[in-house]
Amino acid sequence: MNKEYIWIPGFKYELQENDSYKVWINGVFAYDETEDILEAAKRICCENFDFNKLHGFFRLIILDKSKQKYVLVGDNSGSQYFYFDESNKRFSDSFIAIRKHLNNLTLDYSAISELFTLGAILGEDTIVKEIKKSDSNYYFIVENNCIKKVSKKLVPFNKLDKYDNSFEQIMQKLLNNIDKDKIGAVLTGGTDSRTILSYLNFVGIKPDLFLSGHRDNPDIPIAEDIADKLELNLEIIDSDNVDDDKLKIGYFFLDGAYDAVLSYRHYLKSKTATQKNILYEFGGVGGEFYKNDTCHPILYGIRGYKQHDYYYKTILKRNIKHLSFLGPEIINGYERDYIKLNAISELSDEETIFLSKCNRVFFELLKARCGSITNGYSAVCCKVDSLMDRNLIAVSSQTSSFRHDFKIWQKKLINKYCKKIANIRTDQGYTCSLKFKYLFLDIFKQFIFNYKRLISKIKRNYGLKTQNIWDIDYINAKNSIYWKYSFDFCKKNGIIDKNAKESDIPLSLIGNIILIGMTFDNNLFK
């Protein structure tokens, strides 16, 4: 007799139930056609559900009582997902919950290559071959001792219905399903988080504000000015205040899926959220889709790249150039990365506009990068990143890319909803004012900022740049027992070249190397 799948819960859920269905939900669920989750569950199980009308940031587990089958649904933005161990018939919402039951693990070199070059692992792979994760373009049915992957039939960005007031509609749909007394918001020095905060302020919500980083973070004085202007409480989460075992704490908090060094600051932020009884954290992730950060139309026209060459040169090639310290198993994985990137770029063939083509590919990348944080973070707090909503990105994708230059989209919304914070400067030196004289000056300031950032990147790539504000965390991590074990483990297994020295490793990769070492250290899971 075939072994049945076992659900290993990792996180907490709210439970709703009737005679036909039992539904566990974590996060914020919104659907255009009904607000009744049990009704939505029925439609999903009966395959009468339009996933293109789905919004929110959630994980849904449905038990169809009559058929004794589970249906697993994550949101379209990839913020929460599931893990599968098909050999041992297990599924969970937690990577670590699955990992704890495994003693013999196999390195997935292709996935590790992606982690180093792309900053995330695309699709269903993880760094452990025996563990797969769900793809947000699908939902999953667990029935008859097997798992069936079913397409959500998500249509291309250029074919999604446009809302008349898209940003306001998406925000309102999410807020309708949230306890407004339990909202917090991340505030940085940029325009994206300020856009979200402007709308929250407009509808009368006064969230506690968070900003994490070291005391010399240049975003702090900007955030303080905004908080003072709106008379809101701002919590500076100072990662200088550390626990003795911060790497282990961070690793387990973000479920073994994210940079083991940077995970700790998310843990500190979650502690503050818990103390303030905050269950929903609004932020500006996804702002890249509304200011041409996913494409460069002028450069594209000048260089005349083919579509696939554009993705390769802007995403992959620039990341492999300075990774000569890597071992043979990872070097061999670069070609596989290129193949997978091309496979994703083929999704963009469904799009008819250059901006929507770029947005489609970068959406897959950003889902993978952000999901490695938000899935584990959902144990404490649901991250609500409204700008990652597919329907909202679709509106941007159907608009001329030149209308997104100089962050005009964000500036208009900030002036519409909370003009009093429009004149406070951003982290790039300009304001959010729409007055012509300021717009002209802001273009010049943005050009200077981008030039300095380019020079900084070049210096950093060639080891000529001094430390930035985050490097101190990586430097401290190199003094830990986890770094020594992880570095030796990666050399032994061909991830790092056998002749490489610790000083050859860029600081930005230290967290991911430690992540690999900790994941494959069985002693850590005893």
Side-chain angles (χ1 to χ4, degrees):
M1 184 175 181
N2 291 332
K3 181 179 178 181
E4 293 186 357
Y5 266 88
I6 299 173
W7 172 23
I8 306 175
F11 305 127
K12 296 180 180 179
Y13 292 85
E14 293 182 11
L15 175 63
Q16 296 192 30
E17 184 175 10
N18 60 19
D19 292 339
S20 301
Y21 302 98
K22 185 179 285 190
V23 181
W24 293 266
I25 181 168
N26 179 306
V28 182
F29 178 92
Y31 184 54
D32 287 351
E33 296 184 356
T34 180
E35 294 185 359
D36 186 337
I37 290 179
L38 288 168
E39 172 62 24
K42 176 184 176 181
R43 296 189 187 190
I44 292 171
C45 291
C46 295
E47 299 185 8
N48 185 29
F49 189 90
D50 186 354
F51 284 93
N52 293 289
K53 298 179 179 180
L54 178 63
H55 312 277
F57 305 89
F58 64 88
R59 191 187 307 104
L60 203 66
I61 301 173
I62 305 168
L63 174 62
D64 185 333
K65 295 179 179 180
S66 64
K67 297 181 180 179
Q68 283 300 299
K69 71 176 181 180
Y70 286 101
V71 181
L72 315 178
V73 184
D75 60 78
N76 292 342
S77 300
S79 74
Q80 297 192 33
Y81 36 72
F82 301 91
Y83 291 95
F84 307 103
D85 172 11
E86 295 184 4
S87 297
N88 296 291
K89 302 287 186 180
R90 300 186 183 107
F91 71 91
S92 179
D93 44 30
S94 164
F95 175 85
I96 285 177
I98 296 281
R99 166 63 183 90
K100 285 180 177 178
H101 290 82
L102 296 173
N103 290 318
N104 298 314
L105 309 179
T106 307
L107 286 159
D108 189 324
Y109 289 104
S110 180
I112 294 171
S113 177
E114 288 180 48
L115 184 63
F116 286 163
T117 56
L118 304 179
I121 302 172
L122 302 171
E124 299 177 356
D125 295 328
T126 71
I127 61 174
V128 178
K129 274 192 174 181
E130 290 78 8
I131 304 176
K132 300 298 181 182
K133 70 177 187 292
S134 60
D135 184 331
S136 65
N137 295 312
Y138 300 85
Y139 66 97
F140 299 80
I141 299 174
V142 183
E143 185 180 25
N144 297 328
N145 307 319
C146 66
I147 291 181
K148 178 183 177 183
K149 183 171 75 172
V150 184
S151 173
K152 291 181 177 178
K153 298 179 181 179
L154 299 175
V155 302
F157 287 145
N158 63 281
K159 293 182 180 179
L160 270 173
D161 293 337
K162 293 176 67 174
Y163 295 115
D164 293 334
N165 299 297
S166 53
F167 175 75
E168 188 169 330
Q169 284 183 299
I170 296 300
M171 288 291 291
Q172 203 55 54
K173 286 178 185 295
L174 297 172
L175 289 171
N176 286 343
N177 293 275
I178 287 176
D179 184 341
K180 297 175 181 59
D181 293 328
K182 297 182 179 180
I183 290 177
V186 172
L187 180 61
T188 67
T191 55
D192 303 326
S193 61
R194 194 182 305 194
T195 301
I196 300 299
L197 178 60
S198 295
Y199 185 79
L200 293 177
N201 182 80
F202 176 74
V203 295
I205 296 173
K206 304 293 184 182
D208 282 303
L209 305 177
F210 303 97
L211 175 60
S212 62
H214 299 288
R215 270 289 161 186
D216 52 357
N217 185 342
D219 283 357
I220 291 177
I222 301 171
E224 288 176 334
D225 286 347
I226 294 173
D228 288 345
K229 198 77 171 178
L230 299 179
E231 298 181 350
L232 297 176
N233 177 55
L234 172 65
E235 292 283 345
I236 307 297
I237 315 298
D238 190 350
S239 55
D240 286 329
N241 301 322
V242 301
D243 293 280
D244 292 336
D245 209 358
K246 61 180 290 189
L247 291 175
K248 184 177 179 180
I249 292 171
Y251 173 84
F252 280 99
F253 174 67
L254 285 188
D255 199 39
Y258 183 62
D259 179 310
V261 175
L262 298 184
S263 293
Y264 181 73
R265 60 189 177 102
H266 291 283
Y267 164 75
L268 290 177
K269 183 152 58 76
S270 76
K271 284 180 63 177
T272 303
T274 299
Q275 292 167 1
K276 294 179 174 292
N277 198 28
I278 290 172
L279 298 180
Y280 309 98
E281 181 188 289
F282 279 73
V285 173
E288 294 88 344
F289 298 108
Y290 311 91
K291 53 190 179 187
N292 283 344
D293 278 5
T294 68
C295 79
H296 305 281
I298 296 177
L299 290 178
Y300 177 79
I302 294 172
R303 294 176 178 175
Y305 287 156
K306 294 180 180 178
Q307 194 68 39
H308 289 183
D309 285 345
Y310 175 80
Y311 298 130
Y312 176 68
K313 290 179 181 179
T314 57
I315 301 172
L316 184 59
K317 189 175 180 181
R318 68 183 180 186
N319 287 323
I320 68 176
K321 201 178 217 178
H322 307 289
L323 303 183
S324 57
F325 61 88
L326 291 177
E329 295 289 351
I330 304 302
I331 297 298
N332 293 336
Y334 289 147
E335 186 62 29
R336 294 191 293 271
D337 290 346
Y338 190 21
I339 292 171
K340 183 178 278 191
L341 203 61
N342 273 340
I344 289 178
S345 69
E346 288 174 4
L347 291 173
S348 71
D349 292 341
E350 301 173 351
E351 311 286 352
T352 58
I353 306 169
F354 176 68
L355 178 58
S356 65
K357 289 176 180 287
C358 294
N359 281 351
R360 188 72 176 271
V361 174
F362 276 86
F363 183 59
E364 296 300 320
L365 283 170
L366 195 56
K367 282 195 302 182
R369 290 170 180 169
C370 296
S372 61
I373 299 172
T374 54
N375 190 68
Y377 202 83
S378 67
V380 172
C381 189
C382 176
K383 282 184 172 288
V384 183
D385 293 306
S386 315
L387 302 182
M388 284 290 287
D389 186 277
R390 288 186 89 253
N391 296 74
L392 191 55
I393 297 172
V395 175
S396 168
S397 300
Q398 296 174 46
T399 306
S400 168
S401 58
F402 292 100
R403 295 179 63 182
H404 296 307
D405 276 334
F406 310 113
K407 302 175 178 60
I408 292 297
W409 186 84
Q410 285 90 337
K411 290 180 179 180
K412 285 182 177 179
L413 291 178
I414 292 167
N415 279 271
K416 177 180 180 180
Y417 297 122
C418 191
K419 196 168 185 177
K420 68 169 80 171
I421 61 174
N423 288 326
I424 297 175
R425 69 181 180 87
T426 69
D427 55 351
Q428 297 185 18
Y430 53 80
T431 70
C432 295
S433 173
L434 291 174
K435 293 181 179 179
F436 179 78
K437 65 177 181 179
Y438 289 118
L439 285 174
F440 183 79
L441 183 61
D442 289 348
I443 291 172
F444 176 74
K445 288 181 178 179
Q446 186 169 341
F447 174 80
I448 296 299
F449 177 85
N450 290 338
Y451 172 77
K452 289 180 177 179
R453 184 165 61 178
L454 174 64
I455 296 300
S456 176
K457 284 184 177 180
I458 293 173
K459 288 182 177 180
R460 189 171 176 78
N461 283 337
Y462 288 95
L464 301 176
K465 188 180 184 301
T466 56
Q467 302 166 13
N468 67 24
I469 61 171
W470 302 112
D471 284 350
I472 187 63
D473 294 326
Y474 291 119
I475 292 170
N476 290 336
K478 291 181 74 172
N479 296 321
S480 72
I481 57 173
Y482 300 112
W483 166 250
K484 178 63 177 173
Y485 172 83
S486 301
F487 181 76
D488 291 342
F489 175 86
C490 289
K491 288 184 73 171
K492 179 181 177 181
N493 288 279
I495 297 172
I496 296 175
D497 186 83
K498 62 181 180 180
N499 296 316
K501 302 175 183 177
E502 291 188 28
S503 57
D504 295 331
I505 311 299
L507 291 175
S508 59
L509 289 184
I510 286 173
N512 284 329
I513 290 173
I514 295 176
L515 173 72
I516 295 166
M518 294 179 80
T519 298
F520 284 82
D521 182 3
N522 284 328
N523 293 323
L524 202 61
F525 295 88
K526 289 181 178 178

